[in-house]
Structure formats: structure tokens, C-alpha cells
Amino acid sequence: AQSVTQLGSHVSVSEGALVLLRCNYSSSVPPYLFWYVQYPNQGLQLLLKYTSAATLVKGINGFEAEFKKSETSFHLTKPSAHMSDAAEYFCAVSQYQAGTALIFGKGTTLSVSS
Amino acid sequence: DTGVSQDPRHKITKRGQNVTFRCDPISEHNRLYWYRQTLGQGPEFLTYFQNEAQLEKSRLLSDRFSAERPKGSFSTLEIQRTEQGDSAMYLCASSLAGPYGYTFGSGTRLTVV
């Protein structure tokens, strides 16, 4: 079975500070990993994905994530937070070869203060 | 490409009534997914289709829920005899088969009173 754990349901940072959102996964086979963002009353938007190519993945809006197999982690970072980054962030895992759908974590709410 | 469309955006129904939601995926996407999201939680997988075939259904999905994708294009999700616990946001997504991310619709918010 596959699963995702997002550490910290709420993260608060100041504008311009580093953003770090943590995600650990469990998967019996090499996973595909994704980060999504959700703004209030909207659907989810794909930020970035890891599909067994480069371990450091760059996404939209200045976000990036690093796949670390030894730590079973896929943490999301952004060097400098912007007010518009305030949203809900979800990490998700898939075992495409097994034909399974994405399994999401419970999410982390990011607040950005001025 | 108009993205993934869901209709209606909001639905309020009385307990015990049946409801049906519609999802129109991106036209070239052969996979379509249904998820349910409650407040403070991540999306919970319900079921998915490849073309018109329903390939996977969550074991958590009550038999009051049924989904169809009759011609491999749009899909409907029906909930029979709604209960207050069915109140949630129902999200639809589509993708190509492969290691691709999904494109989500804006969801249908169901409130059962």
C-alpha cells in the first residue's frame, strides 16, 4: 500500500522567508510524487512532479522539491515567500506501474505575513 | 482547451434524496477520476475510468455511490439516498494515461440538510 504523510498541518512564514513544506511517502515500488496547490473554493493545481528522472524538480511559481529515496521524502521549498503563496498544499503519491490513482496527504496550510 | 468542467458548482439537497453530478474532462484525456474532499482533509480517491471502463473503485465507496462514463467522454457521479456525511466537495480530474499530473475541475460542493 502507498501513503503520504505531511508533517505540520499549518506553516506560517514571513514574506521573503524560506518556505519548507514536508512530505514523507510510503511505497512498495518506486513512486511518482506530486505537489498540488489549492486556493479557496478552487480545484487543485499541479505545482511539480517527480517521475524518476532528476531528483531535484523545479515547478511553477518558484517552487522546487527534492526526492530523497533514503529518507523517503519529497519536501517542497521556495527561497522567498510571497503573499500570493498563501494556500493549501497537498503532496500525493502514485504507483503508475500498478495502475493506481493518486493518493493525497492531508495537506498543509501555508500562511504568509507581511 | 477549456479545462475540466464540473456541474453544478453547488448543490443543496435534503437527506434521502438522490443527486447527480457531471464532469466534462479535457477532450484528449482518456483517464477521468473522482475524488471527495472534506474540510481540512486531502482529496480522497473514489473511482477512476480509462475511456469508458471503470478500472478502480475505492473500497471505502458506499454502494449508494455509482459513476458512469458511457462514451468515454463526460462522466456522472450519482449518490442515492444521501446522508449528512456525504456533505463534501466532489472533485473531478482528468489526465492522459502515464506519469502525468491530473487536471482538476473546480469541484461540486454538496450540502445535505
Side-chain angles (χ1 to χ4, degrees):
Chain A
Q2 54 188 335
S3 65
V4 163
T5 301
Q6 292 186 240
L7 301 175
S9 59
H10 199 148
V11 171
S12 297
V13 300
S14 299
E15 194 172 21
L18 172 70
V19 175
L20 172 61
L21 305 182
R22 300 178 186 273
C23 173
N24 288 87
Y25 70 90
S26 172
S27 177
S28 57
V29 299
Y32 294 133
L33 294 159
F34 303 80
W35 274 99
Y36 283 83
V37 61
Q38 186 176 35
Y39 298 98
N41 298 314
Q42 293 187 25
L44 283 75
Q45 180 184 8
L46 179 66
L47 278 176
L48 49 80
K49 61 183 180 182
Y50 166 76
T51 56
S52 74
T55 56
L56 182 62
V57 180
K58 294 187 183 299
I60 63 171
N61 301 338
F63 284 93
E64 62 181 38
E66 186 172 8
F67 173 70
K68 292 187 176 180
K69 184 178 178 180
S70 60
E71 299 177 8
T72 61
S73 68
F74 190 58
H75 301 332
L76 182 70
T77 61
K78 182 174 181 178
S80 176
H82 191 272
M83 296 293 286
S84 61
D85 294 327
E88 187 90 15
Y89 291 81
F90 295 96
C91 183
V93 63
S94 169
Q95 296 178 352
Y96 173 68
Q97 294 92 335
T100 58
L102 285 181
I103 301 299
F104 286 85
K106 292 187 176 182
T108 298
T109 301
L110 176 66
S111 299
V112 182
S113 58
S114 58
Chain B
D1 181 0
T2 57
V4 177
S5 299
Q6 292 189 245
D7 184 69
R9 289 295 307 273
H10 303 274
K11 177 72 175 178
I12 300 174
T13 190
K14 292 184 178 180
R15 188 173 52 186
Q17 297 294 305
N18 299 343
V19 295
T20 300
F21 309 141
R22 177 180 171 121
C23 173
D24 287 90
I26 292 173
S27 57
E28 58 265 31
H29 286 179
N30 56 354
R31 285 198 169 184
L32 185 148
Y33 309 83
W34 285 101
Y35 284 81
R36 176 173 61 192
Q37 186 179 23
T38 53
L39 195 63
Q41 300 295 318
E44 175 188 31
F45 170 71
L46 295 179
T47 188
Y48 89 90
F49 295 83
Q50 180 157 312
N51 301 314
E52 65 274 12
Q54 189 172 17
L55 294 189
E56 188 178 355
K57 189 174 177 181
S58 170
R59 286 173 290 176
L60 301 176
L61 197 61
S62 162
D63 57 8
R64 296 183 295 106
F65 288 69
S66 62
E68 293 183 342
R69 195 183 183 196
K71 297 183 179 179
S73 57
F74 73 92
S75 175
T76 58
L77 177 68
E78 181 183 16
I79 308 174
Q80 296 182 326
R81 305 180 303 280
T82 52
E83 302 172 357
Q84 286 191 323
D86 297 330
S87 296
M89 175 76 83
Y90 289 84
L91 295 167
C92 177
S94 69
S95 75
L96 295 169
Y100 307 105
Y102 302 168
T103 300
F104 280 85
S106 297
T108 294
R109 182 169 295 283
L110 173 66
T111 302
V112 181
V113 298

